[in-house]
Amino acid sequence: MKQGGSDAAKRAAGESAAEAVEDGMVVGLGTGSTAAHAVRALGRQVDAGLDIVGVPTSFQSRELAREAGVPLAEPDEVRVDLAIDGADEVAGGDLIKGGGAAHAREKIVDASADRLLVVADPTKTAETLSQPVPVEVLSAARTTVAASVRDLGGEPTLRQAERKDGPVVTDNGHLVLDCAFGDIDDPAALAGELAALPGVVEHGLFVGLADEVHVGREDGVTVERL
């Protein structure tokens, strides 16, 4: 997996996307170090008088938004105008997400938004998606889903927690299989195959959802409109 980019690049991308937020909007608040810069920037704008409501995509983004002073709502309470979210890998507007195991709720919020702005540093961009795809599964379905992933040509690995014994457990109480497929030439087809597996809660392929990709660098930001 690629190493993360500089904090300056992440900050540039997050703050660039935050500039697109307008008064009165409901904003999806993504998860991860780059999206965190957007949340902090929105907090400063709220402090300066911007009237928005944020919809967090994880426990992490909820806590950060509270610290930043962004008013919050749940996704079933509001309609999301614009979502700002990071990615583990971006290729041609398609994404792999789920490094933080929050991709199920992220996809709910991102897919419901009228517009999705993706924020990333240059280390996250690629010609073809190739990183392992996180797949959130019911615990009782771990072995059957793993077998099905192998049938699809993937190699599943149960994600282990770093600071406790045992596997990672998502905010939803499920397990995560990181599924390596090598180069993913047809993300849409693989997304459909993974979604159809019994026991899969959600997978980390975000296909056809992004409207803009903001790639931050230390000397500025490149915005790709899709």
Side-chain angles (χ1 to χ4, degrees):
M1 185 174 291
K2 299 177 182 177
Q3 297 298 312
S6 72
D7 190 64
K10 295 177 181 181
R11 179 188 297 272
E15 293 181 350
S16 172
E19 292 175 0
V21 175
E22 300 176 356
D23 204 55
M25 280 187 170
V26 176
V27 185
L29 306 176
T31 300
S33 56
T34 308
H37 283 295
V39 176
R40 294 187 187 100
L42 291 173
R44 293 192 293 271
Q45 293 178 37
V46 168
D47 189 56
L50 182 69
D51 179 20
I52 62 170
V53 173
V55 179
T57 57
S58 65
F59 177 85
Q60 178 195 46
S61 62
R62 179 182 294 108
E63 291 302 294
L64 180 60
R66 285 173 174 165
E67 292 174 10
V70 178
L72 298 177
E74 291 300 308
D76 60 350
E77 298 173 335
V78 291
R79 175 176 175 176
V80 180
D81 298 299
L82 181 147
I84 301 173
D85 210 348
D88 299 317
E89 191 171 40
V90 182
D94 294 329
L95 321 172
I96 291 177
K97 292 179 54 58
H103 51 288
R105 186 176 171 109
E106 287 175 323
K107 190 174 286 187
I108 291 170
V109 174
D110 293 352
S112 70
D114 291 340
R115 296 169 61 205
L116 170 60
L117 276 55
V118 177
V119 292
D121 65 75
T123 69
K124 301 300 192 297
T125 62
E127 291 296 322
T128 303
L129 296 178
S130 62
Q131 290 192 15
V133 179
V135 179
E136 183 170 347
V137 298
L138 299 174
S139 59
R142 175 176 65 87
T143 56
T144 57
V145 171
S148 296
V149 167
R150 293 188 185 96
D151 290 341
L152 294 175
E155 184 54 47
T157 301
L158 180 65
R159 188 180 298 183
Q160 297 293 324
E162 293 184 0
R163 297 181 181 177
K164 77 172 187 68
D165 293 334
V168 166
V169 178
T170 70
D171 289 354
N172 308 311
H174 303 132
L175 304 178
V176 177
L177 296 173
D178 290 311
C179 303
F181 291 94
D183 288 349
I184 302 173
D185 296 321
D186 192 343
L190 181 58
E193 291 170 331
L194 291 174
L197 298 179
V200 168
V201 176
E202 190 54 85
H203 59 75
L205 285 168
F206 285 49
V207 179
L209 296 182
D211 295 286
E212 295 180 6
V213 179
H214 293 237
V215 179
R217 297 175 174 80
E218 297 194 15
D219 60 350
V221 180
T222 300
V223 180
E224 179 183 5
R225 293 178 172 82
L226 303 165

